[in-house]
Amino acid sequence: MKNFKKMSFAFAVSTALILSACGKDSKTSGTENQKPLRVVTDAAYAPFEYLDKGKIVGFDVDFTNAVAKEAGLKIDIVNVGWDPLFAEVGDKLADIGMSSITINDDRKIKYDFTVPYFLSTNKILVPEGSDIKSAEDLKGKVVAVQNGTTGQEAVESLLGKNSKDVKKFENNNLAILELKSGGADAVVADNAVVETYAKNNPNEKLVVIEDKDSFAAEFYGLMLPKGSKYKEKLDKAVKEVVENGTYEDIYKEHFGTEPDLETLKA
Ligand code: ARG
């Protein structure tokens, strides 16, 4: 009897310790024992996701970390590359695709997305003095794109699907290298990416061309496996991060300007 009492006391104490270790804060409760969600990316797309001394950094990284914190979820961001990230999320091997991924009808067949978090459009990167002044001018030119992006789609809708003048690369940095080495006349990719590149590399004398008639507005979302159980939580967290000023802080840090939050609410 005495022993039994001792044992049940010990049991009660250890249970209390375990419970208290789980945390009382409602926002983080559950995260302690949660296996981190696997977030896959293609970290070759500055300023959204890129490597800095081997570390994955960028707007998307800060944004997604803020969203995860708000949702009370632990995450682990892994640089797997563009095509593999679609395969992983499609096969439910990863929980989130974070890669400036445009929400479009094609992708919505296979994947779920969170509510939009960024407005983007494709733009054209060319050497200064190029005779390319609009999307129409790309016809008859060689254009480098990242394979499987909306940039590839946009260019192929002008030059024709399977046109040999569209050179497709595994990541966008390789497409830009092709332009620099003279193997292509232009790169088409997301505006912030080509604008950041031109700005950060003034000695390369590149300019960015906008063509609103040919290139549509696009929204980025975090990409999820179809039927993801995290969608509701993440949607709520995205909205909260936009509304509570965190998004604005992160945006200003990476772009130096104020975001237009109205575009996200539309
Ligand atoms: N927004 C474009 C798309 O979804 C390009 C994104 C490329 N992202 C990247 N990390 N390479 O197709």
Side-chain angles (χ1 to χ4, degrees):
M1 188 61 188
K2 222 178 164 189
N3 267 348
F4 176 69
K5 260 197 187 150
K6 244 193 210 158
M7 267 169 62
S8 58
F9 177 68
F11 178 69
V13 169
S14 53
T15 309
L17 282 177
I18 289 168
L19 285 179
S20 69
C22 288
K24 294 165 207 101
D25 182 346
S26 72
K27 238 177 213 159
T28 52
S29 80
T31 59
E32 259 84 347
N33 294 322
Q34 176 224 329
K35 192 168 150 250
L37 300 190
R38 183 171 169 85
V39 178
V40 285
T41 193
D42 168 34
Y45 217 58
F48 295 105
E49 43 269 326
Y50 58 102
L51 295 176
D52 184 20
K53 298 183 197 86
K55 221 179 141 226
I56 307 169
V57 296
F59 174 87
D60 277 358
V61 176
D62 292 346
F63 166 74
T64 306
N65 275 321
V67 168
K69 188 166 171 221
E70 181 60 41
L73 294 165
K74 277 201 261 179
I75 59 171
D76 186 16
I77 302 175
V78 194
N79 183 23
V80 300
W82 183 247
D83 289 342
L85 92 77
F86 282 86
E88 277 206 36
V89 178
D91 292 343
K92 300 185 163 54
L93 297 174
D95 305 288
I96 300 179
M98 173 206 82
S99 233
S100 319
I101 304 174
T102 298
I103 306 170
N104 65 23
D105 289 343
D106 253 13
R107 292 175 183 163
K108 279 201 276 189
I109 299 172
K110 259 185 95 180
Y111 305 93
D112 279 347
F113 286 90
T114 62
V115 290
Y117 70 87
F118 201 92
L119 175 65
S120 174
T121 187
N122 277 290
K123 287 194 184 176
I124 310 166
L125 183 69
V126 292
E128 245 174 54
S130 161
D131 55 1
I132 298 169
K133 306 282 179 222
S134 71
E136 268 307 299
D137 294 341
L138 291 174
K139 291 182 178 161
K141 303 283 188 187
V142 176
V143 187
V145 295
Q146 181 180 11
N147 188 44
T149 59
T150 56
Q152 178 194 340
E153 243 175 71
V155 174
E156 284 185 340
S157 72
L158 291 160
L159 307 199
K161 223 172 157 53
N162 303 322
S163 161
K164 60 166 184 19
D165 291 337
V166 184
K167 286 192 179 174
K168 293 166 270 186
F169 295 88
E170 190 184 322
N171 70 53
N172 198 61
N173 292 341
L174 293 173
I176 294 178
L177 266 182
E178 188 70 6
L179 173 70
K180 289 199 306 189
S181 69
D185 302 302
V187 167
V188 172
D190 292 0
N191 64 304
V193 171
V194 287
E195 279 157 3
T196 301
Y197 188 85
K199 190 168 146 241
N200 290 348
N201 299 280
N203 53 324
E204 291 177 18
K205 301 203 182 323
L206 298 168
V207 290
V208 174
I209 313 242
E210 175 174 23
D211 188 332
K212 284 192 171 149
D213 297 330
S214 301
F215 299 143
E218 305 178 2
F219 282 105
Y220 299 164
L222 295 175
M223 193 171 78
L224 315 171
K226 256 275 171 266
S228 166
K229 65 174 177 192
Y230 300 109
K231 174 162 166 61
E232 225 183 281
K233 244 189 192 178
L234 291 170
D235 277 347
K236 230 179 114 207
V238 171
K239 288 182 198 152
E240 186 54 33
V241 161
V242 169
E243 263 150 43
N244 71 15
T246 309
Y247 183 93
E248 194 177 327
D249 291 346
I250 297 171
Y251 189 99
K252 277 198 246 169
E253 196 187 315
H254 289 276
F255 297 102
T257 55
E258 296 275 343
D260 178 0
L261 296 179
E262 289 312 304
T263 56
L264 294 180
K265 289 173 192 157

